[in-house]
Amino acid sequence: MEHLQLFLMVDERLYICRSLSRNTFKLQLKPAIGVGSAFEGWSPRKDDAVYRLLIPLKPPRGHVFHLELGTAEEMSARNCSVHVELECTCLRERLVGDMLCFLHHPEEELRKNQGPSLLGTLCTGPYLDMEKTTRWFQILVKTAWVYLPCSRHCRLTVLPSRHSCKLRLTNASQSTLLMEIIFGVEQDDSNTFLNIE
């Protein structure tokens, strides 16, 4: 199987991941963006190519992201921390009725009827925790994989990583595709994405 076919399988799996996370209070995944030499056509050798994808993250309903930029040196690497805050959704609760407001309902009622906020699952304190986020995404990828017909004749291996999701896809003829999925947040609706620390 050609690398393009393997890549299309990964793209299909990421679509399933977006669907699985869509109506939750976990992160919302936007379509992946190919980055780096393998996508720009100048990778030294096709067999050594690692396909890197940036997945933009959006906050779930009832949450807001605030980017905290570091020093000038950290900014040159386009890294940032993501401060997560809850926002009032009482109007949405009254009009749409699809969620309870995290700010104005007791924690016990939220736990019983809706589940925890992003702050209670993928954050450490008020900050998005990349290790927790990576583990969550790795589980999501494995869950999505079983929905694909190609999973019967291709093997997915999630490689150890703490701040990105590294995947190896191997088909029956032992052709492999290495992918690294990194996470980013858009800065001020600018189409500029910053890596999350």
Side-chain angles (χ1 to χ4, degrees), residues 94-113:
R94 285 192 299 275
L95 294 175
V96 182
D98 63 345
M99 68 175 292
L100 300 174
C101 179
F102 284 110
L103 287 174
H104 299 110
H105 284 276
E107 207 170 305
E108 185 176 311
E109 182 182 3
L110 290 167
R111 190 172 35 252
K112 180 181 173 188
N113 297 313

Side-chain angles (χ1 to χ4, degrees), residues 83-98:
H83 186 261
V84 179
E85 289 182 2
L86 298 174
E87 67 179 352
C88 179
T89 57
C90 288
L91 181 60
R92 179 185 179 114
E93 182 181 346
R94 285 192 299 275
L95 294 175
V96 182
D98 63 345

Side-chain angles (χ1 to χ4, degrees), residues 24-26 63 102 110-111 114-121:
T24 70
F25 294 106
K26 298 286 199 297
H63 299 75
F102 284 110
L110 290 167
R111 190 172 35 252
Q114 176 167 286
S117 72
L118 183 63
L119 288 168
T121 57

Side-chain angles (χ1 to χ4, degrees), residues 129-145:
D129 185 308
M130 283 317 299
E131 286 188 47
K132 291 178 183 179
T133 299
T134 299
R135 281 193 304 270
W136 165 76
F137 186 76
Q138 289 169 341
I139 291 167
L140 192 62
V141 164
K142 290 177 186 177
T143 301
W145 182 249

Side-chain angles (χ1 to χ4, degrees), residues 4-173:
L4 179 60
Q5 290 172 313
L6 285 170
F7 177 74
L8 291 174
M9 288 184 342
V10 169
D11 189 50
E12 188 177 356
R13 186 181 68 247
L14 293 174
Y15 174 80
I16 293 170
C17 288
R18 286 195 307 275
S19 297
L20 291 171
S21 69
R22 187 167 291 134
N23 292 319
T24 70
F25 294 106
K26 298 286 199 297
L27 296 166
Q28 301 303 297
L29 308 171
K30 296 298 172 189
I33 302 166
V35 294
S37 62
F39 287 98
E40 295 167 5
W42 58 272
S43 183
R45 287 187 1 188
K46 190 174 182 178
D47 294 338
D48 292 337
V50 175
Y51 294 86
R52 287 184 177 80
L53 294 172
L54 171 89
I55 295 186
L57 302 175
K58 291 286 213 178
R61 294 170 290 159
H63 299 75
V64 178
F65 285 167
H66 297 287
L67 299 180
E68 292 188 2
L69 308 175
T71 64
E73 182 179 297
E74 292 168 333
M75 275 306 297
S76 66
R78 294 184 181 253
N79 290 331
C80 68
S81 296
V82 178
H83 186 261
V84 179
E85 289 182 2
L86 298 174
E87 67 179 352
C88 179
T89 57
C90 288
L91 181 60
R92 179 185 179 114
E93 182 181 346
R94 285 192 299 275
L95 294 175
V96 182
D98 63 345
M99 68 175 292
L100 300 174
C101 179
F102 284 110
L103 287 174
H104 299 110
H105 284 276
E107 207 170 305
E108 185 176 311
E109 182 182 3
L110 290 167
R111 190 172 35 252
K112 180 181 173 188
N113 297 313
Q114 176 167 286
S117 72
L118 183 63
L119 288 168
T121 57
L122 299 180
C123 292
T124 297
Y127 292 95
L128 189 61
D129 185 308
M130 283 317 299
E131 286 188 47
K132 291 178 183 179
T133 299
T134 299
R135 281 193 304 270
W136 165 76
F137 186 76
Q138 289 169 341
I139 291 167
L140 192 62
V141 164
K142 290 177 186 177
T143 301
W145 182 249
V146 300
Y147 290 103
L148 296 174
C150 61
S151 66
R152 288 183 221 107
H153 42 74
C154 288
R155 186 176 68 243
L156 169 73
T157 306
V158 178
L159 304 170
S161 180
R162 293 172 48 184
H163 294 283
S164 65
C165 186
K166 295 180 181 179
L167 308 172
R168 181 175 54 228
L169 285 172
T170 310
N171 67 5
S173 65

